[in-house]
Structures are given as C-alpha cells and as structure tokens.
Amino acid sequence: MKYSYVSEKFAAARRNLMLPHPNGDTTAIVDAFAECSHGLHNINRDDFDDAARESVQNLEELIDGLGLDDPLGRGLYTVKAERLSLDQKAELSREVDYLATWFDAQSRE
C-alpha cells in the first residue's frame, strides 16, 4: 500500500504512452511526464532498490526541461517532448513501463 498512489500515476503514464494517442505523440508524452512528476513528487527514495533508483534518475533526465526556452508559452513539457529523439522516446517508454511494474509490485507488499 505504500506506493499505491505512485503505482496509479505510473500506470496512467504507461497508458498515455500506448500510441497512437488521440491527440498526438507530443500530448501523450506531455501527459506521461506530468503523471510521472506527480507520482515522484515528495516521495522518499530510500526504499528503492538500485535498479529502481537508476530508472528514476534516467526518467528524470528525460523529463528535465532545464535550459529550455518556451517563448510561445506552450509549457516546458511540450517543448521537451517535441525535442525527444526516437531513441529517447523508446527509453522513456521502457523506463515508465519498468517503474509502473516496480511500483505496482511494491504497492502490493
């Protein structure tokens, strides 16, 4: 039960990444970014195993919009999502899938 909220957020992020998204790939990725960020907000990571910790770090690097400009005011998640390469999109899907599974297992303990 400890990670039930996080598990729900990552399950939603994984659903968003099941393409095609009705509003396009960028929207799918932006929605997944938001779900992951909400799930990881203020969570104590001391209980994460090494693989989960590494996966979270990789995911946060993919989401990070530091240094990006948003002159049109569309949101940094949108700007970042549009700039992801195909390899980065694949990595995003893998990390979200792994963490959704990991948090689900942890929430059942």
Side-chain angles (χ1 to χ4, degrees), residues 38-84:
H38 289 299
L40 294 173
H41 184 71
N42 288 334
I43 192 166
N44 183 348
R45 300 169 190 201
D46 292 341
D47 295 334
F48 292 12
D49 63 24
D50 289 341
R53 205 172 286 116
E54 182 179 342
S55 188
V56 167
Q57 182 178 348
N58 292 340
L59 178 63
E60 289 177 329
E61 288 172 8
L62 287 167
I63 294 173
D64 186 14
L66 189 65
L68 295 178
D69 291 324
D70 183 20
L72 302 176
R74 297 176 303 136
L76 287 178
Y77 283 170
T78 299
V79 173
K80 181 67 179 204
E82 291 173 344
R83 292 184 180 192
L84 291 179

